Amino acid sequence: MIISMRLHATKQQVEQVRARIEEFGYKVHSIEGEERVVIGAVGVGDVTNCLESLEAMPQVEKAVRISAPYKFVSKEFRSARTEITVRGVTIGGDEFVVMAGPCSVEGEKQILESAEIVARHGAKILRGGAFKPRTSPYDFQGMAEEGLKLLAKARDLTGLAIVTEVMSDSDVNLVAEYADILQIGARNMQNFSLLKTLGKCGRPILLKRGMSSTVKELLMSAEYIVAHGNPDVMLCERGIRTFETVTRNTCDIGAVAALSELTHLPVILDPSHATGKRSLVPAVARAGVAVGADGLIVEMHPNPEKAWSDGAQSLTPDQFAKMMADLKPYISLWKKARAEEAVTA
Ligand code: PEP
Ligand code: MN
């Protein structure tokens, strides 16, 4: 932190500020100019509280934070990429990983068919919600544990790992029993008691960006999980809410690039929720590869017209197959870039 004193603050006033900073556990270095004293504070402590307390002191003109408010998830803390391995698949390494499947688990036939289709075309992880966060309480809410059991069955049959959403702290243990990766949906990105519980769940997390959250807020939410004991967090850009109505959300592709600069955690792009329209999904998926995301999470349904949720943005099996084939040359370039990065590192 840098604390700038008011012009001509007295020695005694400067001393009071120094003492207050030290109470928070920081080391203090001051620079004394002709008219103004500037104080630097370094160390680890409750920065927010300290800044607020200093700003409330009349002799302080301005108190600002210099380092990022997130620590464990920052590139400064760790420059090497975090690699997360589930069932032999590594996310954040030298493979571009596709997670795919329906929005919701709807029944045995639907999820087994979906799993077989996405596996056949190169996805490594099966998605499917058993607990669904729906805007309307009258909409399908998910199959809950029954859905988790079906996901586990699909995993047994195909070897795919599974990612599925958990919405509340009380379900974390249950979902962790079945899932390989726990997804935290956009609506829960700042559910802090849930984030704290995830610190001890023993499973990697796919943390989706809140629809009105900044990149920094996303990183702070990831910091919660890591600070509570779980370093295996992937971040997911899934579009944010803007004035635009042509797409369901606005895909913040720049955020994917920014995240790769700011954090060592893997970054996944969700072109399905980002666009809301299946015709747009393949193009945005390509953009995700080109921008350097670590993978994609894509909705695919054996019969989208009959889907119980998000049918309009779910690819048909044929569209999914075509998207995966069309991504190949882009993924080759992606691999080349990763290999070059490894050489320079
Ligand atoms: C989903 O993945 O189906 C979902 C509900 O996503 P989000 O939380 O990004 O809206
Ligand atoms: Mn969905």
Side-chain angles (χ1 to χ4, degrees), residues 103 127 132 273 299 310 313:
C103 179
R127 65 147 290 148
K132 294 305 301 176
H273 293 85
E299 288 184 343
D310 286 350
Q313 68 193 31

Side-chain angles (χ1 to χ4, degrees), residues 13 15 45 47 56 85 87 89 105-106 111 114 117 127 133 147 173 199 221 227 271 282 290 321-322 335:
Q13 287 175 324
E15 258 332 294
V47 192
T85 302
R87 295 190 182 263
V89 184
V105 181
E106 299 167 3
I111 197 65
S114 302
I117 294 164
R127 65 147 290 148
N173 286 340
S221 289
K322 179 163 175 11
K335 283 192 177 160

Side-chain angles (χ1 to χ4, degrees), residues 236-295:
C236 179
E237 164 61 34
R238 45 77 74 203
I240 51 174
R241 192 165 270 187
T242 69
F243 50 83
E244 185 54 74
T245 53
V246 163
T247 46
R248 179 180 178 182
N249 290 292
T250 295
C251 181
D252 188 0
I253 201 81
V256 178
L259 283 167
S260 322
E261 264 184 23
L262 296 170
T263 180
H264 51 84
L265 299 176
V267 182
I268 305 296
L269 180 69
D270 175 344
S272 308
H273 293 85
T275 59
K277 285 187 183 153
R278 75 172 69 93
S279 65
L280 303 176
V281 169
V284 175
R286 282 198 298 279
V289 183
V291 82
D294 294 282

Side-chain angles (χ1 to χ4, degrees), residues 129-141:
F131 291 92
K132 294 305 301 176
R134 305 307 299 277
T135 302
S136 164
Y138 309 115
D139 289 346
F140 173 58
Q141 304 286 308

